[in-house]
Amino acid sequence: MPELIVTNFNKNFTGVSATAGNVVRQHMEDYDLVLAGQPLPDCPPPISKTRAVALSKISPPNRPFTIWHVRRNTEMRAAIWARDVRRLPIKIVFTSAAIRRHSAFPRWLISRMDAVIATTVEAASFVPNVRAIAPHGVDINVFFPAKDRAKAWSLTGFPGTRGIATIGRIRREKGTDRFVDAMIALLPQYPDLTALVLGRAARSDAAFLERLQDKVEQAGLSNRILFPGEIHATELPALMRALSLVVQLPRYEGYGMTPLEGMASGVPFVATDQGYYRSFSGQGSSGLIVPEDDLQATVSTLSGLLNAPDRFEQMAFAAQEAATFQYSSVREADEIARVYEDLWSQG
């Protein structure tokens, strides 16, 4: 019987999926671990939810119960059902990154957790029973700098000699429109630069995406501001290290892994003051924070980096160092492991 079951029920690869995979890869050698739900890159092949429940009927050897580590509402519901309705010997650990009050039903679900891990101090203030604060970390074995950035970009097949990108779900909350507006203002000054909007739009955001594409076309930049769609998780690291800048301008972000993945790849970032971005920035050594809805300030900040190769290289080096020594997934996995061990020791 496994001692640890990590759930990943979302068929789409999201930021939550990425952080779960980072930790699973660190814990694979330390625990008798099973992944339940959807596959994650370089992680054990997943089993079904039904199989996970079946494997939890008996306590694992030398452990008083199996731990289920969940990260989504659907996963909390399944774990609560297995523990409280089926009366199986399991304990439930939930990771929370939200920095706003959850709605009523998620609050109830979270209140039923045996332990909660918050990603930040602010996130911890919105949930009960926090056992640890463990900032998400990046897998530096997956995300690392290119030996030759220009060559790496040329291999992507995208035009130009330099790339700049925003990555994530295409919707207003993520600030995709802010990025497009900034690129329309910026790109005429840099004929070698190509901008990528990497991600997909949900059906409810299809009209939002269409408006952005129309705006780009009207600006005459359809061949330089591209919408390639969602990049598969296994292909993203190579594209990330080929970029020259990552730009994330959300109106809300609970944590935000993209700048950190860029940092590990030796790519500085420009972002609004959301999620954990200010901490990642290292007071300007790894990334730069721009004001909300200030197009001129955003464009000026981007130009300042693009026009200063020495400063860019200093920030690229500092970003990679910070990701390696302050924000690696090894540190996150160690903090999470302490919560597991504390639960087991309490029986």
Side-chain angles (χ1 to χ4, degrees), residues 138-147 237-238 240-242 261-267 320 324:
V138 62
D139 190 337
I140 59 174
N141 293 314
V142 174
F143 291 93
F144 51 84
K147 293 181 180 179
M240 184 72 82
R241 53 182 165 263
E261 291 167 347
M263 288 167 58
S265 307
V267 182
Q320 198 263 337
T324 300

Side-chain angles (χ1 to χ4, degrees), residues 12 168-177 180 197 199-214 227 251:
N12 297 318
R169 187 69 61 84
I170 297 175
R171 58 185 178 188
R172 186 178 184 278
E173 184 181 66
K174 293 294 186 182
T176 319
D177 54 324
V180 167
V197 180
R200 71 182 201 46
R203 184 176 302 174
S204 58
D205 294 309
F208 175 73
L209 170 59
E210 187 175 348
R211 287 194 298 272
L212 294 181
Q213 292 171 323
D214 288 344
F227 295 79
R251 293 174 172 86

